[in-house]
């Protein structure tokens, strides 16, 4: 039925939707449109102008759907060679080429997918590795290569060109898939890789050199030698050129936090302004903006005042807010003598809840280590599950599978610990709810 025949029986939105469906269906049965790509060279005195566009020769289905042009496309009128053109307007413009935008986490994963590098199960580990090793840093949610990352990349590309390229990685991924599917033997894959890699590794051990230290123009305060800028595993640093005879190193300043500035002054240095920062899991905490201080405090809520944590319940020492891979937690200042920690979680009201972690990761057994003959083996937990290990690690590296009876005991212990931790978390959130509501009411009364 033609849309005009039912227009009076439909609402405005219904009519537009039906008209769109009708036009698209009818257009799919019509002939395609025909276009002629046109390049115009226009001469005007000493000036030459160019125009690129399309000219519609046969409208076809566009008679119904209309003409839709791309972002940089334009319709040119039909012209003949020798036609005169009237100058209506002359607008001089200048364009500069722009570099491609920097990768974010999402765009980098998309690029890896398009090039066949990695798998969905490995994307997270790839991103965490390049950040943990400080090859890149995130500024405004975009990756920026660090000085260490640039040097490592240049060295690897120079000495391992056969491995540091997209084609090799894609080929290796495809071979591993064939091995998994039983279409190829793993020995053949290893031989194809290991031979050239061994040769490249031996050549790199002979020819690869460390970057030359850069002089800073300053003298070492301990021995009077020159201070130079070097590259270490954690990035560039300044140290004495006489290392290891003189081990003087300039203390590296912390990076300025990229949080939301507040009106609160740091209680430690009394100089920097506290900045409100939110972790990946939504936990809000405060960091001093003074890079020489770096003091951190937990928050009682997303808009609450920063509050010092309560003393350690095990030894009474001061609890400090620490960061582990960007996630805040409370740790005892008496570490390593006291290893008490408290995890921070976001409550339902948006505040921060401290939860004492009591989940024990080891279980003592009566099995004597058959390697060192000194200690009783313990059951420990890893990413792959529980295992039996000697507590004398790293001097004794004995590890083996867990006997069935001890595995059952360990699973039961972990279940009880997790249940207790969940109960404490629920209790902590329930206790924090009245405080958050009271703070909210107090803020309304002040307003």
């Amino acid at each position: 039925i033609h849309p005009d025949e039912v227009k009076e029986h439909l609402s405005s939105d219904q009519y537009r939707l039906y008209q769109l469906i009708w036009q698209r269906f009818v257009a799919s049965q019509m002939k395609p449109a025909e276009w002629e790509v046109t390049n115009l060279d226009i001469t005007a005195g000493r000036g030459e102008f160019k125009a690129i566009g399309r000219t519609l020769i046969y409208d076809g289905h566009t008679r119904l759907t209309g003409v839709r042009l791309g972002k940089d496309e334009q319709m040119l009128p039909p012209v003949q060679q020798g036609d005169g053109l009237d100058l209506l307007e002359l607008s001089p413009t200048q364009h500069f080429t722009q570099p491609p935008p920097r990768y974010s986490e999402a765009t980098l994963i998309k690029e890896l997918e398009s090039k066949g590098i990695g798998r969905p199960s490995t994307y997270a580990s790839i991103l965490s590795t390049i950040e943990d090793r400080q090859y890149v840093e995130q500024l405004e949610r975009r990756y920026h290569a660090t000085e260490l990352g640039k040097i490592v990349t240049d060295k690897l590309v120079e000495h391992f060109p056969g491995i540091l390229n997209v084609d090799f990685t894609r080929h290796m991924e495809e071979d591993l898939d064939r091995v998994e599917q039983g279409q190829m033997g793993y020995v053949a894959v290893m031989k194809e890789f290991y031979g050239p890699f061994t040769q490249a590794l031996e050549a790199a051990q002979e020819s690869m050199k460390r970057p030359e230290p850069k002089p800073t123009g300053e003298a070492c305060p301990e021995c009077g030698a020159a201070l130079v800028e070097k590259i270490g595993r954690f990035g560039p640093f300044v140290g004495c050129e006489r290392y290891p005879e003189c081990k003087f190193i300039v203390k590296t300043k912390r990076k300025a936090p990229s949080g939301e500035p507040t009106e609160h002054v740091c209680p430690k240095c009394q100089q920097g302004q506290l900045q409100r920062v939110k972790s990946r899991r939504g936990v809000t905490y405060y960091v001093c903006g003074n890079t020489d201080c770096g003091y951190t405090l937990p928050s009682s809520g997303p808009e609450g005042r920063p509050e010092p944590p309560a003393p350690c319940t095990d030894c009474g020492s001061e609890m400090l807010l620490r960061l582990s891979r960007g996630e805040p937690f409370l740790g005892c200042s008496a570490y390593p003598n006291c290893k008490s920690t408290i995890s921070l979680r976001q409550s339902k009201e948006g505040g921060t809840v401290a939860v004492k972690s009591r989940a024990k990761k080891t279980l003592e057994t009566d099995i004597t280590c058959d390697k060192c003959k000194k200690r009783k083996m313990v059951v420990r937990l890893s990413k792959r599950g529980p295992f039996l290990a000697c507590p004398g690690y790293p001097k004794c590296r004995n590890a083996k599978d867990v006997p069935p009876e001890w595995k059952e005991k360990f699973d039961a212990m972990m279940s009880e610990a997790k249940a207790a931790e969940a109960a404490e978390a629920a209790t902590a959130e329930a206790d924090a709810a009245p405080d958050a509501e009271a703070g909210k009411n107090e803020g309304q009364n002040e307003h």
Side-chain angles (χ1 to χ4, degrees):
I1 303 177
H2 196 279
D4 292 342
E5 298 180 14
V6 295
K7 183 177 182 179
E8 59 182 6
H9 304 289
L10 303 176
S11 65
S12 176
D13 291 340
Q14 291 174 339
Y15 169 73
R16 293 171 60 190
L17 177 60
Y18 179 70
Q19 184 184 41
L20 176 64
I21 296 173
W22 186 89
Q23 288 179 348
R24 290 292 178 178
F25 171 73
V26 176
S28 67
Q29 309 303 312
M30 300 173 66
K31 291 184 178 181
E34 295 182 6
W35 297 86
E36 185 179 63
V37 179
T38 306
N39 296 322
L40 292 183
D41 294 325
I42 305 167
T43 303
R46 294 183 301 171
E48 291 187 1
F49 301 90
K50 293 182 180 293
I52 302 175
R54 297 194 300 174
T55 303
L56 184 64
I57 300 176
Y58 175 70
D59 53 6
H61 67 85
T62 60
R63 189 176 303 179
L64 274 181
T65 60
V67 177
R68 295 189 177 185
L69 299 175
K71 181 179 179 181
D72 298 326
E73 290 183 329
Q74 58 181 341
M75 286 275 293
L76 294 179
V79 295
Q80 299 294 329
Q81 185 172 356
D83 288 353
L85 300 179
D86 295 331
L87 177 61
L88 301 180
E89 183 182 5
L90 185 63
S91 302
T93 58
Q94 187 176 17
H95 296 277
F96 297 93
T97 56
Q98 296 293 330
R102 294 185 178 273
Y103 286 118
S104 63
E105 291 185 355
T107 56
L108 181 55
I109 292 176
K110 187 176 180 180
E111 184 72 12
L112 294 175
E113 290 177 341
S114 65
K115 295 186 179 298
I117 300 176
R119 294 295 181 265
S121 58
T122 61
Y123 292 147
S125 62
I126 292 174
L127 299 183
S128 62
T129 298
I130 61 176
E131 284 195 75
D132 292 343
R133 297 184 181 178
Q134 298 188 10
Y135 296 151
V136 297
E137 58 181 354
Q138 285 202 52
L139 301 176
E140 298 180 353
R141 296 187 139 185
R142 297 284 178 176
Y143 283 122
H144 293 253
T146 62
E147 190 66 25
L148 176 62
K150 294 177 182 178
I151 293 176
V152 170
T153 302
D154 292 341
K155 293 292 184 182
L156 292 178
V157 172
E158 178 184 357
H159 297 279
F160 299 92
I163 297 177
L164 268 292
N165 64 69
V166 176
D167 294 335
F168 170 82
T169 308
R170 185 190 302 114
H171 176 66
M172 177 60 71
E173 295 279 2
E174 293 173 353
D175 284 350
L176 293 177
D177 289 340
R178 294 189 186 97
V179 173
E180 181 184 11
Q181 298 167 4
Q183 301 175 359
M184 193 174 186
Y186 74 92
V187 176
V189 177
M190 292 301 297
K191 283 184 177 180
E192 181 184 0
F193 160 77
Y194 193 70
F197 174 72
T198 304
Q199 297 176 1
L201 186 61
E202 292 176 353
Q205 288 177 340
E206 296 179 359
S207 59
M208 185 182 293
K209 298 180 181 179
R210 288 181 173 271
E212 292 293 332
K214 300 179 181 178
T216 62
E218 300 178 2
C220 175
E222 293 187 1
C223 67
L227 291 178
V228 294
E229 183 178 346
K230 302 179 180 180
I231 297 292
R233 59 178 301 183
F234 299 109
F237 68 96
V238 176
C240 181
E241 66 174 356
R242 295 183 61 249
Y243 179 87
E245 289 79 9
C246 178
K247 298 183 179 180
F248 176 79
I249 295 178
V250 178
K251 185 178 178 181
T252 305
K253 285 190 175 183
R254 297 179 176 89
K255 295 181 181 178
S258 57
E260 178 185 353
T262 68
E263 71 280 5
H264 306 301
V265 180
C266 175
K268 182 180 180 181
C269 67
Q270 299 294 330
Q271 295 179 359
Q273 297 293 123
L274 293 181
Q275 297 189 16
R276 186 181 294 109
V277 182
K278 183 172 289 187
S279 71
R280 298 175 182 176
R281 297 180 183 177
V283 177
T284 302
Y285 61 98
Y286 291 87
V287 180
C288 179
N290 184 6
T291 56
D292 293 328
C293 175
Y295 189 64
T296 53
L297 280 173
S299 167
S300 60
E303 302 297 335
R305 295 180 61 86
E307 298 180 356
C312 176
T313 56
D314 293 342
C315 67
S317 301
E318 181 185 5
M319 296 293 287
L320 302 177
L321 185 66
R322 304 183 185 275
L323 298 179
S324 174
R325 293 189 177 184
E327 290 300 326
F329 71 96
L330 296 178
C332 183
S333 58
Y335 180 87
N337 296 326
C338 178
K339 299 181 179 181
S340 176
T341 60
I342 298 178
S343 62
L344 297 177
R345 298 179 181 176
Q346 186 181 21
S347 66
K348 296 180 181 179
E349 292 77 17
T352 300
V353 178
V355 181
K356 180 72 174 180
S357 179
R358 301 186 184 276
K360 194 177 181 181
K361 301 296 183 181
T362 60
L363 175 65
E364 296 180 357
T365 70
D366 55 2
I367 304 174
T368 304
C369 176
D370 54 356
K371 189 174 181 180
C372 67
K373 309 293 185 180
K374 297 180 180 179
R375 306 171 182 87
K376 299 293 184 180
M377 303 283 281
V378 296
V379 182
R380 289 180 174 171
L381 183 63
S382 68
K383 295 181 179 179
R384 298 181 180 179
F387 68 98
L388 205 61
C390 179
Y393 180 89
K395 292 183 178 180
C396 180
R397 298 175 179 267
N398 189 17
K400 55 180 64 179
D401 295 334
V402 180
E405 63 273 12
W406 285 104
K407 186 177 185 303
E408 294 176 0
K409 293 180 182 179
F410 184 78
D411 292 342
M413 183 194 71
M414 292 299 297
S415 299
E416 294 177 359
K418 290 180 180 179
E421 185 178 354
E424 288 190 7
T427 304
E429 289 192 10
D431 295 340
D435 296 337
E437 186 65 27
K440 181 178 179 182
N441 295 334
E442 183 180 352
Q444 291 177 352
N445 295 334
E446 290 179 357
H447 179 70

